[in-house]
Amino acid sequence: MGSKELTGWKRFNLFSSILLIMYFVSIFLFSNNYLLREIIFSSYYPINDEITHEFIGESIHLVSTDHIIDKYMEDENIQRVTVNKAYPYTLEINIDQYQTLALIVDYRTESPIYYKLYKNGKAAMVPPNEISLFRSNKNSIKIINGPLKENVYGEFVNYFLLLRDTDSSIETSFILESDNLIGKIDDFSIDFISPENLGKKASAVYQRLQEPCPSLNFTVDIDTLTGNAIVICNT
């Protein structure tokens, strides 16, 4: 066999091998055994229907988990999404939403606007049809007037998380008027002065609740010299 014939034979074998590989890969990718038939969601979310419509019947090998995660993460209510391919034909999607720490009611507009406060310091508007679901949330912040300082929601998050980790049964209702902050816990009325250093103030509040002021009315402030929270029982 001449060199030209040998070269041609090698090329033919290479081409045949490539075609054979492509054939088996196509069988692997598009076999009916690997067509997506089921998507298991950890919880209901409106976008679930869109994901189902887009991917059911597609090859599980060609489903992009990153694409699915990106779609869910467009929603500010979602904290984390994990997608797992359970071969040969099932997709598992776990959706974790941010935990709501408090209900915010903003009275600075003609009609009150409701928000959910998340532990990342963000506030997401509550759709009108869901407001009734959050009215039972005992941790609340009512904003009466005035502009909000930068990171004011972060201060409230610090307060709620510290008290929740110490005693999850403690629930606080705040009223914020301009820069003046008043809180109520059961029968206790608390003057927080301002929505600053609420993490430190939360520790002082908890300690005072263990040894209540006779009037059940006290003020929590920050000592300008030491930087520590101080409690003054009001008469």
Side-chain angles (χ1 to χ4, degrees):
M1 181 180 293
S3 59
K4 290 185 178 180
E5 289 82 358
L6 182 61
T7 301
W9 179 253
K10 288 182 178 179
R11 288 178 178 175
F12 174 76
N13 283 341
L14 177 61
F15 182 71
S16 299
S17 298
I18 293 174
L19 288 178
L20 190 62
I21 292 172
M22 292 177 63
Y23 172 72
F24 283 113
V25 168
S26 64
I27 291 178
F28 180 70
L29 290 178
F30 300 106
S31 168
N32 287 335
N33 293 331
Y34 293 98
L35 296 182
L36 195 62
R37 306 177 196 171
E38 181 183 28
I39 302 179
I40 301 174
F41 300 96
S42 63
S43 58
Y44 174 75
Y45 217 75
I47 197 176
N48 293 359
D49 296 334
E50 179 183 340
I51 295 297
T52 300
H53 178 75
E54 181 175 352
F55 291 103
I56 285 294
E58 298 293 323
S59 170
I60 192 171
H61 302 293
L62 301 180
V63 172
S64 170
T65 56
D66 289 338
H67 174 69
I68 293 175
I69 291 173
D70 289 343
K71 274 188 169 292
Y72 278 99
M73 295 308 296
E74 291 174 0
D75 192 312
E76 61 184 358
N77 296 291
I78 295 177
Q79 179 179 10
R80 180 175 54 253
V81 175
T82 56
V83 181
N84 177 55
K85 294 181 179 180
Y87 291 94
Y89 52 75
T90 301
L91 205 62
E92 300 169 341
I93 301 179
N94 187 67
I95 308 163
D96 293 328
Q97 300 183 49
Y98 281 110
Q99 180 183 6
T100 301
L101 294 179
L103 177 66
I104 301 171
V105 188
D106 192 342
Y107 289 98
R108 296 176 298 171
T109 57
E110 184 176 350
S111 298
I113 302 176
Y114 295 80
Y115 299 89
K116 294 175 284 187
L117 177 63
Y118 294 135
K119 67 178 183 180
N120 64 347
K122 292 184 178 181
M125 187 178 296
V126 180
N129 62 325
E130 295 182 13
I131 291 176
S132 60
L133 301 177
F134 293 93
R135 290 188 187 278
S136 60
N137 195 313
K138 301 303 182 183
N139 285 325
S140 63
I141 305 167
K142 295 180 180 179
I143 304 173
I144 307 303
N145 55 45
L148 297 180
K149 288 187 175 181
E150 186 177 357
N151 196 40
V152 65
Y153 290 148
E155 290 288 347
F156 284 111
V157 168
N158 292 336
Y159 175 90
F160 289 126
L161 288 181
L162 191 146
L163 278 187
R164 186 188 67 179
D165 293 340
T166 305
D167 186 344
S168 60
S169 67
I170 298 176
E171 297 170 334
T172 310
S173 298
F174 285 106
I175 297 178
L176 180 60
E177 292 193 60
S178 296
D179 197 35
N180 300 313
L181 183 65
I182 300 295
K184 190 171 182 60
I185 301 176
D186 294 330
D187 294 329
F188 294 91
S189 180
I190 308 163
D191 186 352
F192 286 87
I193 305 296
S194 70
E196 298 176 352
N197 297 296
L198 290 183
K200 290 182 179 180
K201 292 177 181 178
S203 298
V205 166
Y206 176 76
Q207 295 175 12
R208 178 50 60 186
L209 291 178
Q210 310 312 304
E211 300 178 7
C213 294
S215 64
L216 303 183
N217 186 316
F218 58 93
T219 298
V220 184
D221 200 358
I222 299 297
D223 189 311
T224 56
L225 295 178
T226 65
N228 296 325
I230 56 175
V231 176
I232 303 171
C233 289
N234 301 327
T235 56

